[in-house]
Amino acid sequence: MRIVVVGGHGQIALRLLRLLPDGTAVGVVRNRDQVPDLEATGQEGAIFDLEEDPMAELAILLQGADAVVFAAGAGPGSGAARKATVDQNGAILCAEAAQEAGVRRFVQISATGVDQPPPPGTEESWAAYVTAKRVAEEDLRARDLDWTILRPGRLIDGQGTGLVRLTDPPAERGDIPREDVAAVIAELIRTGAGVHRTLELHGGPVPIAEAVAAL
């Protein structure tokens, strides 16, 4: 298989690249200085800027891929404007490029609690993030792709437990190690499970392979 991970230098993405068999994935980043980190996972690196480069260039990069993972994000230190340009518009551009390239399998990392607009008084950057993720989800659901939207709970570092709660929304919020999020994505890709599903992911009592097989 050939898996393309857009936003390949993110914390979940790097963990995912390490889990995939060597030489089967490409991590896409905008900063050339990050390519050695991608290569250190046993995978390739490719350069594309979601905010600046044309969709057609990404479509060329995606040609021949078996699956695309959208793992990009503006990051916690960014302002509201970049939530729209990366988390929202970047996701939409990536899905469009997948369609253009004929890649059907598309896994998008979203966030829990984005179904409803943020309440009045919500901090501007967080409100923009929630809105961006919701709009990106809505766009993906309308596309003719074998999509899965994965909504992790509060992300934490440290070793994964291998045990999760993977359910349809709404779901009780909980923590989830980034390592376990990466492992769930790898299993979704390996098995092809979860097509046309929006899934909440939190720490729980079920082994990852079992949770994915139950979808």
Side-chain angles (χ1 to χ4, degrees), residues 164-203:
V164 299
R165 182 161 40 92
L166 189 61
T167 64
D168 295 318
E172 182 181 348
R173 297 191 184 192
D175 296 345
I176 181 77
R178 289 178 173 87
E179 190 171 300
D180 285 339
V181 178
V184 168
I185 295 170
E187 188 70 3
L188 288 170
I189 292 170
R190 186 187 72 81
T191 62
V195 171
H196 296 163
R197 299 282 295 275
T198 300
L199 300 168
E200 298 272 354
L201 174 62
H202 306 275

Side-chain angles (χ1 to χ4, degrees), residues 51 86 108 111 156 198:
E51 296 174 283
V86 179
Q108 182 161 295
I156 59 175
T198 300

Side-chain angles (χ1 to χ4, degrees), residues 103-193:
V103 183
R104 293 203 55 83
R105 189 70 170 112
F106 195 99
V107 178
Q108 182 161 295
I109 301 176
S110 187
T112 193
V114 303
D115 286 311
Q116 301 298 325
T122 301
E123 190 270 327
E124 180 186 20
S125 182
W126 179 251
Y129 175 78
V130 170
T131 299
K133 290 296 187 185
R134 186 178 69 256
V135 172
E137 286 190 6
E138 291 168 352
D139 174 85
L140 185 57
R141 290 191 195 99
R143 293 184 181 274
D144 182 21
L145 291 168
D146 294 336
W147 54 264
T148 302
I149 295 168
L150 190 64
R151 295 176 171 177
R154 191 174 76 89
L155 298 169
I156 59 175
D157 292 323
Q159 186 173 359
T161 67
L163 301 172
V164 299
R165 182 161 40 92
L166 189 61
T167 64
D168 295 318
E172 182 181 348
R173 297 191 184 192
D175 296 345
I176 181 77
R178 289 178 173 87
E179 190 171 300
D180 285 339
V181 178
V184 168
I185 295 170
E187 188 70 3
L188 288 170
I189 292 170
R190 186 187 72 81
T191 62

Side-chain angles (χ1 to χ4, degrees), residues 8-9 14 17-18 29 31-45:
H9 201 260
L14 286 171
L17 291 170
R18 293 187 189 101
V29 294
N31 185 347
R32 193 171 299 276
D33 293 342
Q34 295 173 341
V35 170
D37 292 337
L38 303 177
E39 294 173 340
T41 70
Q43 313 297 354
E44 298 177 28

Side-chain angles (χ1 to χ4, degrees), residues 67-87:
V68 177
V69 178
F70 184 80
S78 61
R82 295 200 68 228
K83 307 302 185 190
T85 57
V86 179
D87 295 84

